[in-house]
mmCIF file with all atom_site columns, all heavy atoms in Angstrom:
data_model
loop_
_atom_site.group_PDB
_atom_site.id
_atom_site.type_symbol
_atom_site.label_atom_id
_atom_site.label_alt_id
_atom_site.label_comp_id
_atom_site.label_asym_id
_atom_site.label_entity_id
_atom_site.label_seq_id
_atom_site.pdbx_PDB_ins_code
_atom_site.Cartn_x
_atom_site.Cartn_y
_atom_site.Cartn_z
_atom_site.occupancy
_atom_site.B_iso_or_equiv
_atom_site.pdbx_formal_charge
_atom_site.auth_seq_id
_atom_site.auth_comp_id
_atom_site.auth_asym_id
_atom_site.auth_atom_id
_atom_site.pdbx_PDB_model_num
ATOM 1   N N   . MET A 1 1  ? 2.420  -16.687 -3.966  1.00 50.00 ? 1  MET A N   1
ATOM 2   C CA  . MET A 1 1  ? 3.215  -16.251 -5.084  1.00 50.00 ? 1  MET A CA  1
ATOM 3   C C   . MET A 1 1  ? 4.613  -16.830 -4.908  1.00 50.00 ? 1  MET A C   1
ATOM 4   O O   . MET A 1 1  ? 5.309  -16.533 -3.942  1.00 50.00 ? 1  MET A O   1
ATOM 5   C CB  . MET A 1 1  ? 3.225  -14.721 -5.092  1.00 50.00 ? 1  MET A CB  1
ATOM 6   C CG  . MET A 1 1  ? 3.712  -14.165 -6.355  1.00 50.00 ? 1  MET A CG  1
ATOM 7   S SD  . MET A 1 1  ? 3.063  -12.546 -6.804  1.00 50.00 ? 1  MET A SD  1
ATOM 8   C CE  . MET A 1 1  ? 3.552  -11.474 -5.530  1.00 50.00 ? 1  MET A CE  1
ATOM 9   N N   . ALA A 1 2  ? 5.021  -17.666 -5.822  1.00 60.00 ? 2  ALA A N   1
ATOM 10  C CA  . ALA A 1 2  ? 6.301  -18.365 -5.711  1.00 60.00 ? 2  ALA A CA  1
ATOM 11  C C   . ALA A 1 2  ? 7.494  -17.434 -5.880  1.00 60.00 ? 2  ALA A C   1
ATOM 12  O O   . ALA A 1 2  ? 8.485  -17.560 -5.187  1.00 60.00 ? 2  ALA A O   1
ATOM 13  C CB  . ALA A 1 2  ? 6.363  -19.485 -6.737  1.00 60.00 ? 2  ALA A CB  1
ATOM 14  N N   . HIS A 1 3  ? 7.406  -16.516 -6.795  1.00 65.00 ? 3  HIS A N   1
ATOM 15  C CA  . HIS A 1 3  ? 8.498  -15.558 -6.971  1.00 65.00 ? 3  HIS A CA  1
ATOM 16  C C   . HIS A 1 3  ? 7.902  -14.180 -7.234  1.00 65.00 ? 3  HIS A C   1
ATOM 17  O O   . HIS A 1 3  ? 6.771  -14.055 -7.677  1.00 65.00 ? 3  HIS A O   1
ATOM 18  C CB  . HIS A 1 3  ? 9.421  -16.008 -8.110  1.00 65.00 ? 3  HIS A CB  1
ATOM 19  C CG  . HIS A 1 3  ? 9.211  -15.308 -9.410  1.00 65.00 ? 3  HIS A CG  1
ATOM 20  N ND1 . HIS A 1 3  ? 8.097  -15.501 -10.176 1.00 65.00 ? 3  HIS A ND1 1
ATOM 21  C CD2 . HIS A 1 3  ? 9.968  -14.405 -10.060 1.00 65.00 ? 3  HIS A CD2 1
ATOM 22  C CE1 . HIS A 1 3  ? 8.193  -14.752 -11.272 1.00 65.00 ? 3  HIS A CE1 1
ATOM 23  N NE2 . HIS A 1 3  ? 9.304  -14.078 -11.219 1.00 65.00 ? 3  HIS A NE2 1
ATOM 24  N N   . THR A 1 4  ? 8.657  -13.174 -6.922  1.00 61.00 ? 4  THR A N   1
ATOM 25  C CA  . THR A 1 4  ? 8.162  -11.815 -7.099  1.00 61.00 ? 4  THR A CA  1
ATOM 26  C C   . THR A 1 4  ? 9.081  -11.052 -8.041  1.00 61.00 ? 4  THR A C   1
ATOM 27  O O   . THR A 1 4  ? 10.263 -11.350 -8.151  1.00 61.00 ? 4  THR A O   1
ATOM 28  C CB  . THR A 1 4  ? 8.089  -11.053 -5.762  1.00 61.00 ? 4  THR A CB  1
ATOM 29  O OG1 . THR A 1 4  ? 9.391  -11.023 -5.179  1.00 61.00 ? 4  THR A OG1 1
ATOM 30  C CG2 . THR A 1 4  ? 7.127  -11.732 -4.801  1.00 61.00 ? 4  THR A CG2 1
ATOM 31  N N   . CYS A 1 5  ? 8.512  -10.074 -8.694  1.00 65.00 ? 5  CYS A N   1
ATOM 32  C CA  . CYS A 1 5  ? 9.286  -9.197  -9.557  1.00 65.00 ? 5  CYS A CA  1
ATOM 33  C C   . CYS A 1 5  ? 9.940  -8.116  -8.702  1.00 65.00 ? 5  CYS A C   1
ATOM 34  O O   . CYS A 1 5  ? 9.477  -7.810  -7.609  1.00 65.00 ? 5  CYS A O   1
ATOM 35  C CB  . CYS A 1 5  ? 8.377  -8.536  -10.592 1.00 65.00 ? 5  CYS A CB  1
ATOM 36  S SG  . CYS A 1 5  ? 7.558  -9.706  -11.667 1.00 65.00 ? 5  CYS A SG  1
ATOM 37  N N   . ARG A 1 6  ? 10.983 -7.546  -9.219  1.00 69.00 ? 6  ARG A N   1
ATOM 38  C CA  . ARG A 1 6  ? 11.625 -6.456  -8.497  1.00 69.00 ? 6  ARG A CA  1
ATOM 39  C C   . ARG A 1 6  ? 10.632 -5.303  -8.350  1.00 69.00 ? 6  ARG A C   1
ATOM 40  O O   . ARG A 1 6  ? 9.961  -4.913  -9.295  1.00 69.00 ? 6  ARG A O   1
ATOM 41  C CB  . ARG A 1 6  ? 12.852 -5.994  -9.272  1.00 69.00 ? 6  ARG A CB  1
ATOM 42  C CG  . ARG A 1 6  ? 13.609 -4.943  -8.544  1.00 69.00 ? 6  ARG A CG  1
ATOM 43  C CD  . ARG A 1 6  ? 14.870 -4.609  -9.262  1.00 69.00 ? 6  ARG A CD  1
ATOM 44  N NE  . ARG A 1 6  ? 15.540 -3.584  -8.486  1.00 69.00 ? 6  ARG A NE  1
ATOM 45  C CZ  . ARG A 1 6  ? 16.626 -2.991  -8.850  1.00 69.00 ? 6  ARG A CZ  1
ATOM 46  N NH1 . ARG A 1 6  ? 17.198 -3.314  -9.980  1.00 69.00 ? 6  ARG A NH1 1
ATOM 47  N NH2 . ARG A 1 6  ? 17.167 -2.064  -8.104  1.00 69.00 ? 6  ARG A NH2 1
ATOM 48  N N   . GLY A 1 7  ? 10.529 -4.796  -7.162  1.00 74.00 ? 7  GLY A N   1
ATOM 49  C CA  . GLY A 1 7  ? 9.614  -3.694  -6.914  1.00 74.00 ? 7  GLY A CA  1
ATOM 50  C C   . GLY A 1 7  ? 8.220  -4.124  -6.509  1.00 74.00 ? 7  GLY A C   1
ATOM 51  O O   . GLY A 1 7  ? 7.371  -3.296  -6.270  1.00 74.00 ? 7  GLY A O   1
ATOM 52  N N   . THR A 1 8  ? 7.984  -5.417  -6.405  1.00 83.00 ? 8  THR A N   1
ATOM 53  C CA  . THR A 1 8  ? 6.678  -5.910  -6.002  1.00 83.00 ? 8  THR A CA  1
ATOM 54  C C   . THR A 1 8  ? 6.475  -5.703  -4.499  1.00 83.00 ? 8  THR A C   1
ATOM 55  O O   . THR A 1 8  ? 7.372  -5.963  -3.712  1.00 83.00 ? 8  THR A O   1
ATOM 56  C CB  . THR A 1 8  ? 6.550  -7.411  -6.330  1.00 83.00 ? 8  THR A CB  1
ATOM 57  O OG1 . THR A 1 8  ? 6.705  -7.577  -7.729  1.00 83.00 ? 8  THR A OG1 1
ATOM 58  C CG2 . THR A 1 8  ? 5.210  -7.956  -5.907  1.00 83.00 ? 8  THR A CG2 1
ATOM 59  N N   . ILE A 1 9  ? 5.305  -5.231  -4.122  1.00 89.00 ? 9  ILE A N   1
ATOM 60  C CA  . ILE A 1 9  ? 4.964  -5.037  -2.716  1.00 89.00 ? 9  ILE A CA  1
ATOM 61  C C   . ILE A 1 9  ? 3.790  -5.951  -2.392  1.00 89.00 ? 9  ILE A C   1
ATOM 62  O O   . ILE A 1 9  ? 2.755  -5.902  -3.060  1.00 89.00 ? 9  ILE A O   1
ATOM 63  C CB  . ILE A 1 9  ? 4.583  -3.569  -2.424  1.00 89.00 ? 9  ILE A CB  1
ATOM 64  C CG1 . ILE A 1 9  ? 5.750  -2.642  -2.744  1.00 89.00 ? 9  ILE A CG1 1
ATOM 65  C CG2 . ILE A 1 9  ? 4.130  -3.404  -0.985  1.00 89.00 ? 9  ILE A CG2 1
ATOM 66  C CD1 . ILE A 1 9  ? 5.394  -1.168  -2.696  1.00 89.00 ? 9  ILE A CD1 1
ATOM 67  N N   . ASN A 1 10 ? 3.959  -6.797  -1.383  1.00 90.00 ? 10 ASN A N   1
ATOM 68  C CA  . ASN A 1 10 ? 2.879  -7.677  -0.955  1.00 90.00 ? 10 ASN A CA  1
ATOM 69  C C   . ASN A 1 10 ? 1.900  -6.861  -0.115  1.00 90.00 ? 10 ASN A C   1
ATOM 70  O O   . ASN A 1 10 ? 2.115  -6.637  1.068   1.00 90.00 ? 10 ASN A O   1
ATOM 71  C CB  . ASN A 1 10 ? 3.439  -8.851  -0.154  1.00 90.00 ? 10 ASN A CB  1
ATOM 72  C CG  . ASN A 1 10 ? 2.362  -9.828  0.236   1.00 90.00 ? 10 ASN A CG  1
ATOM 73  O OD1 . ASN A 1 10 ? 1.176  -9.597  0.031   1.00 90.00 ? 10 ASN A OD1 1
ATOM 74  N ND2 . ASN A 1 10 ? 2.770  -10.945 0.798   1.00 90.00 ? 10 ASN A ND2 1
ATOM 75  N N   . LEU A 1 11 ? 0.820  -6.426  -0.731  1.00 92.00 ? 11 LEU A N   1
ATOM 76  C CA  . LEU A 1 11 ? -0.146 -5.583  -0.031  1.00 92.00 ? 11 LEU A CA  1
ATOM 77  C C   . LEU A 1 11 ? -0.904 -6.337  1.048   1.00 92.00 ? 11 LEU A C   1
ATOM 78  O O   . LEU A 1 11 ? -1.372 -5.726  2.014   1.00 92.00 ? 11 LEU A O   1
ATOM 79  C CB  . LEU A 1 11 ? -1.125 -4.962  -1.023  1.00 92.00 ? 11 LEU A CB  1
ATOM 80  C CG  . LEU A 1 11 ? -0.562 -3.852  -1.896  1.00 92.00 ? 11 LEU A CG  1
ATOM 81  C CD1 . LEU A 1 11 ? -1.618 -3.382  -2.885  1.00 92.00 ? 11 LEU A CD1 1
ATOM 82  C CD2 . LEU A 1 11 ? -0.075 -2.687  -1.058  1.00 92.00 ? 11 LEU A CD2 1
ATOM 83  N N   . ALA A 1 12 ? -1.011 -7.652  0.927   1.00 93.00 ? 12 ALA A N   1
ATOM 84  C CA  . ALA A 1 12 ? -1.736 -8.430  1.929   1.00 93.00 ? 12 ALA A CA  1
ATOM 85  C C   . ALA A 1 12 ? -1.095 -8.292  3.306   1.00 93.00 ? 12 ALA A C   1
ATOM 86  O O   . ALA A 1 12 ? -1.782 -8.334  4.321   1.00 93.00 ? 12 ALA A O   1
ATOM 87  C CB  . ALA A 1 12 ? -1.809 -9.896  1.516   1.00 93.00 ? 12 ALA A CB  1
ATOM 88  N N   . THR A 1 13 ? 0.214  -8.103  3.333   1.00 93.00 ? 13 THR A N   1
ATOM 89  C CA  . THR A 1 13 ? 0.923  -7.984  4.615   1.00 93.00 ? 13 THR A CA  1
ATOM 90  C C   . THR A 1 13 ? 1.439  -6.567  4.867   1.00 93.00 ? 13 THR A C   1
ATOM 91  O O   . THR A 1 13 ? 2.112  -6.326  5.861   1.00 93.00 ? 13 THR A O   1
ATOM 92  C CB  . THR A 1 13 ? 2.109  -8.962  4.663   1.00 93.00 ? 13 THR A CB  1
ATOM 93  O OG1 . THR A 1 13 ? 3.013  -8.654  3.592   1.00 93.00 ? 13 THR A OG1 1
ATOM 94  C CG2 . THR A 1 13 ? 1.638  -10.406 4.540   1.00 93.00 ? 13 THR A CG2 1
ATOM 95  N N   . ALA A 1 14 ? 1.102  -5.653  3.992   1.00 95.00 ? 14 ALA A N   1
ATOM 96  C CA  . ALA A 1 14 ? 1.614  -4.277  4.096   1.00 95.00 ? 14 ALA A CA  1
ATOM 97  C C   . ALA A 1 14 ? 0.887  -3.478  5.173   1.00 95.00 ? 14 ALA A C   1
ATOM 98  O O   . ALA A 1 14 ? -0.282 -3.723  5.478   1.00 95.00 ? 14 ALA A O   1
ATOM 99  C CB  . ALA A 1 14 ? 1.467  -3.560  2.756   1.00 95.00 ? 14 ALA A CB  1
ATOM 100 N N   . HIS A 1 15 ? 1.607  -2.531  5.730   1.00 97.00 ? 15 HIS A N   1
ATOM 101 C CA  . HIS A 1 15 ? 1.028  -1.591  6.693   1.00 97.00 ? 15 HIS A CA  1
ATOM 102 C C   . HIS A 1 15 ? 1.021  -0.218  6.013   1.00 97.00 ? 15 HIS A C   1
ATOM 103 O O   . HIS A 1 15 ? 2.061  0.260   5.563   1.00 97.00 ? 15 HIS A O   1
ATOM 104 C CB  . HIS A 1 15 ? 1.853  -1.566  7.980   1.00 97.00 ? 15 HIS A CB  1
ATOM 105 C CG  . HIS A 1 15 ? 1.344  -0.582  8.969   1.00 97.00 ? 15 HIS A CG  1
ATOM 106 N ND1 . HIS A 1 15 ? 0.169  -0.781  9.672   1.00 97.00 ? 15 HIS A ND1 1
ATOM 107 C CD2 . HIS A 1 15 ? 1.817  0.613   9.365   1.00 97.00 ? 15 HIS A CD2 1
ATOM 108 C CE1 . HIS A 1 15 ? -0.034 0.260   10.459  1.00 97.00 ? 15 HIS A CE1 1
ATOM 109 N NE2 . HIS A 1 15 ? 0.944  1.120   10.291  1.00 97.00 ? 15 HIS A NE2 1
#
Side-chain angles (χ1 to χ4, degrees):
M1 194 151 61
H3 101 290
T4 58
C5 299
R6 184 174 180 185
T8 300
I9 299 171
N10 183 353
L11 287 177
T13 60
H15 177 72

